[in-house]
Amino acid sequence: LGYRLGCCAILGIWVCWDSIWGYSRFYQLTIGGRAAFPVFRGIGGLLLLHWFWAFSTFIWSRYRVNYIFLFEFDPRFIRSPKMIFNSAVDQTLVYLVLMLLYYKAGCDDIWHIIPAGGYAFLLVCYTIHQLIFPWHIRKPLWISIKSTISTPFVSPSFFTCYIADVLTSMIKVFLDLAWTTCYIFSGDFLSAEENHKTEWKNWQNRILYTQVLIPLICLFPLLIRFLQCVRRYMDTKKRFPNLANALKYALSQTVTLFGAFHPLILFHERHENAVTSLKNVEIFQMFWFGLFILSSLYSFVWDVYMDWGLGR
């Protein structure tokens, strides 16, 4: 484990060094400026989640927190923290190697055996494989995710509420994964890196993607958590804290909807070269801004006072 951790550290430094050196010495784009970077960013978010889970299980085991009982896990399929760390390290090694190859291929530093986007495609295939196999280990996770999505048809458990809370923090990751899905299925990963602006199919600017898919992805985790709170109220008949917690997610959904369908944004999308006055949307802008502040303050106070118990 220590040897492989050292390899991960070296590869991480190598990727950072090549990006910084290539930009300062040869004025090449850093990896963050490459066409397929959202693929690596999205899958990197999933990888970070794996690392956080490994650290969480280690801390819980170290301080004798019986998370297996709390989450209602089947002890037969629970891996030790060391095994989870081993899996995370192996996945990180593959991730960094493919990221380095992608960057080198984009800079013409290695032979073009496959298009630069092909390394992103290989990473997607590897990630899908890791999410499914070994099935006897992954199956309980997918069952729990299914139960989480099935809200409000099933009563939420502690673990499904935990999953839903994690999902609300991963919206940016889901947006990158949606981008990755369109990138792969459109075949754009086969295009030359330097010609992506002319050869790509321009799906990222279409209304179905910008005004339908992205708002739905932003809303879906919040909607799940909102429905869980409502279902807990139906089960327990306790208005507080269930309905008060549901209000927090309802406000967040409203902010997302108003932001997605802001008239100023829609105007510029339909008239790219037009100039409009802010007076036409001043009332809407002030209302959205006030709603944004209210939602942020409500969520902050709730998390600090109710969830963390500070000041109680």
Side-chain angles (χ1 to χ4, degrees), residues 36-223:
F37 178 68
V39 177
F40 292 90
R41 186 173 57 196
I43 296 178
L46 295 178
L47 188 58
L48 279 177
L49 181 63
H50 196 176
W51 276 101
F52 290 150
W53 178 251
F55 278 110
S56 297
T57 55
F58 172 77
I59 294 172
W60 292 333
S61 301
R62 176 69 176 80
Y63 292 98
R64 300 181 180 180
V65 177
N66 194 353
Y67 68 94
I68 298 176
F69 172 77
L70 291 174
F71 290 152
E72 301 177 1
F73 288 160
D74 188 340
R76 296 175 298 171
F77 304 115
I78 298 302
R79 297 187 298 170
S80 66
K82 185 176 180 180
M83 295 176 65
I84 301 175
F85 273 116
N86 280 322
S87 177
V89 169
D90 291 340
Q91 293 169 8
T92 304
L93 283 172
V94 175
Y95 175 82
L96 290 174
V97 167
L98 290 174
M99 178 182 281
L100 185 62
L101 289 173
Y102 168 72
Y103 179 75
K104 291 291 188 180
C107 296
D108 296 324
D109 289 341
I110 60 175
W111 292 338
H112 285 272
I113 302 174
I114 59 175
Y119 296 106
F121 175 72
L122 291 176
L123 180 61
V124 171
C125 294
Y126 175 77
T127 302
I128 293 174
H129 178 272
Q130 292 296 306
L131 288 172
I132 298 176
F133 301 104
W135 178 244
H136 70 281
I137 298 294
R138 302 290 186 256
K139 182 179 178 180
L141 173 63
W142 288 109
I143 291 176
S144 299
I145 292 176
K146 178 184 176 183
S147 300
T148 304
I149 297 175
S150 298
T151 305
F153 303 107
V154 295
S155 182
S157 64
F158 179 73
F159 187 53
T160 56
C161 290
Y162 175 84
I163 291 177
D165 275 334
V166 172
L167 294 181
T168 58
S169 302
M170 294 181 62
I171 291 177
K172 180 59 180 175
V173 175
F174 294 145
L175 291 175
D176 284 336
L177 294 178
W179 191 97
T180 299
T181 303
C182 297
Y183 173 72
I184 296 299
F185 280 98
S186 66
D188 286 341
F189 70 95
L190 297 173
S191 303
E193 186 81 4
E194 62 274 9
N195 298 329
H196 73 276
K197 292 184 178 180
T198 57
E199 295 184 3
W200 279 22
K201 298 177 176 59
N202 202 35
W203 46 264
Q204 64 271 27
N205 295 321
R206 295 184 179 177
I207 294 178
L208 186 62
Y209 179 80
T210 58
Q211 296 184 22
V212 178
L213 183 60
I214 289 180
L216 284 177
I217 292 174
C218 294
L219 285 173
F220 189 62
L222 298 171
L223 179 62

Side-chain angles (χ1 to χ4, degrees), residues 3-21 31 47 51 89 91-101 103-104:
Y3 174 78
R4 284 176 294 159
L5 279 172
C7 292
C8 287
I10 292 173
L11 282 171
I13 294 172
W14 191 354
V15 171
C16 294
W17 172 258
D18 271 12
S19 295
I20 296 172
W21 177 255
I31 194 167
L47 188 58
W51 276 101
V89 169
Q91 293 169 8
T92 304
L93 283 172
V94 175
Y95 175 82
L96 290 174
V97 167
L98 290 174
M99 178 182 281
L100 185 62
L101 289 173
Y103 179 75
K104 291 291 188 180

